[in-house]
Amino acid sequence: MSLEDRLLVFSGTSNPPLTDAICRYLGTKQADASVARFPDGEISVKIQADVRGADVYVIQSTCTPVNDNLMELLTLIDALRRASANTITAVIPYFGYARQDRKDEGRVPISAKLVANLITQAGANRVLTIDLHAAQIQGFFDIPLDHIYASPVLVRHFKRLGLDDLVICSPDVGGMKMAWGYAKRLGARLAVVEKRRVSPTKVEAGFVIGDVAGRNVVLVDDIVATGGSVAEAATVLLQKQAASVSFCVTHPVMCGKAVENLGGSELTRIVTTDTIPLGEKAEALGERLTVLSVADLLGEAIHRIHSNRSVSYLFNLE
Ligand code: R5P
């Protein structure tokens, strides 16, 4: 069996267009597996291809419906392990449950750790993921985890836009490190909006640290969920006389009133990636939205993992 023959790509049902694009990059076809539902809603998986001795990559974002997509991933891994795959890499472009990464109050779970345990116990040998909500989630896994960044794709886009007087702004204090990375790459200044979360669906933006008056501001975040944080932040930045406010976000979770919040916001543009499929939401947001693909990045990462080459090489692409 040649090296190429031994690389097999499987997929759950969370993001078929991204899987197709990754397969195109790798010059391979998705391997056959059926993923369906039993009448009571339980997930039914059957691997059709012979995987004995193969290095398999299972692509699945654990986006909405989060629990179904997670269970698909786990059952696919279990089936592949029992079918004697040589190695199993869980390729998780968007890693759900990541925001529950610590006990920030009493009697709550650390769900990100639980999910890491489940993936490991199911039989994954390695994880490949993009822009984890918190980098320390890498340590929740005792198997190798390759954590890559969407920034090469997003930074390239903003370089091409060539906005003057650029300020990269984090919509909250927790996102400062990510914003700083973008500011460094784009040669921009840095700012932060003070955000208070009033409830899981309501945030309030307070004061701005940094000089934004007359400048083009790009808010950078890893996740947009309801869009509340970024819409509030855009309003506050414009009150501080920002010339324009754009939004750059890796994972378009876009749940609840996201389309209304983003559509009704004062953002000039929203730039995101295809780690999560947007479907009709993309049409609703119209021309203000740009979706860039991370398929080549993931494809190259898979290629490098498979041929035992450096994955860090991907950090500095632009
Ligand atoms: C928070 O720490 C995250 O980085 C995002 O800012 C947050 O999840 C966005 O939530 P929403 O869009 O619902 O305001």
Side-chain angles (χ1 to χ4, degrees):
M1 219 189 253
S2 75
L3 197 66
E4 282 70 30
D5 291 341
R6 287 177 45 221
L7 188 160
L8 293 177
V9 176
F10 289 89
S11 179
T13 61
S14 66
N15 198 343
L18 180 60
T19 300
D20 290 346
I22 293 171
C23 286
R24 269 199 302 281
Y25 182 89
L26 290 167
T28 188
K29 274 198 190 145
Q30 188 181 321
D32 273 350
S34 64
V35 181
R37 298 285 180 276
F38 288 110
D40 61 356
E42 287 180 5
I43 285 157
S44 138
V45 157
K46 164 90 178 141
I47 309 294
Q48 316 285 0
D50 174 9
V51 296
R52 192 171 291 273
D55 295 318
V56 303
Y57 295 80
V58 188
I59 301 170
Q60 178 80 325
S61 277
T62 47
C63 53
T64 307
V66 182
N67 299 328
D68 278 7
N69 284 335
L70 175 62
M71 199 60 196
E72 277 187 12
L73 175 64
L74 297 173
T75 49
L76 277 165
I77 293 172
D78 185 72
L80 289 162
R81 177 172 57 86
R82 292 173 194 281
S84 304
N86 182 44
T87 61
I88 302 168
T89 300
V91 181
I92 311 174
Y94 167 67
F95 184 88
Y97 279 108
R99 283 170 288 176
Q100 298 179 50
D101 62 348
R102 65 197 179 288
K103 281 186 76 170
D104 53 2
E105 56 181 313
R107 302 188 293 275
V108 295
I110 303 181
S111 307
K113 171 63 179 157
L114 172 64
V115 169
N117 286 347
L118 290 169
I119 292 167
T120 308
Q121 282 304 312
N125 303 100
R126 173 183 293 275
V127 170
L128 168 62
T129 188
I130 303 185
D131 283 358
L132 282 167
H133 178 61
Q136 63 269 24
I137 293 171
Q138 293 170 57
F140 292 1
F141 288 89
D142 281 329
I143 53 175
L145 181 145
D146 290 301
H147 182 214
I148 61 172
Y149 305 98
S151 54
V153 172
L154 293 162
V155 165
R156 193 187 309 138
H157 181 78
F158 278 94
K159 278 192 173 162
R160 283 187 189 148
L161 286 177
L163 301 173
D164 297 329
D165 283 333
L166 200 58
V167 176
I168 300 297
C169 182
S170 173
D172 56 35
V173 175
M176 279 297 284
K177 193 157 180 224
M178 184 177 191
W180 176 74
Y182 277 76
K184 215 168 51 161
R185 282 166 174 238
L186 285 160
R189 291 157 195 249
L190 192 60
V192 59
V193 175
E194 185 232 12
K195 172 179 98 174
R196 280 183 224 114
R197 189 164 279 287
V198 183
S199 75
T201 53
K202 178 102 186 84
V203 290
E204 275 172 8
F207 54 83
V208 176
I209 304 169
D211 186 6
V212 297
R215 303 184 196 278
N216 291 303
V217 179
V218 179
L219 283 158
V220 170
D221 212 341
D222 60 324
I223 292 172
V224 56
T226 64
S229 309
V230 70
E232 280 271 333
T235 304
V236 170
L237 289 163
L238 288 166
Q239 281 163 2
K240 298 282 175 199
Q241 314 298 327
S244 72
V245 184
S246 306
F247 184 31
C248 168
V249 58
T250 308
H251 305 296
V253 172
M254 294 207 195
C255 55
K257 292 197 167 171
V259 170
E260 289 94 318
N261 286 340
L262 294 173
S265 74
E266 297 167 277
L267 292 165
T268 306
R269 60 178 69 76
I270 302 161
V271 182
T272 189
T273 80
D274 58 355
T275 58
I276 298 172
L278 278 174
E280 289 167 1
K281 290 178 214 159
E283 281 153 44
L285 289 170
E287 286 186 357
R288 267 197 291 178
L289 179 75
T290 302
V291 181
L292 304 171
S293 185
V294 290
D296 291 5
L297 211 53
L298 284 169
E300 184 59 27
I302 290 172
H303 179 65
R304 285 175 171 268
I305 290 168
H306 192 61
S307 47
N308 289 319
R309 288 166 65 208
S310 163
V311 170
S312 331
Y313 163 86
L314 298 172
F315 299 168
N316 301 316
L317 290 179
E318 257 152 52

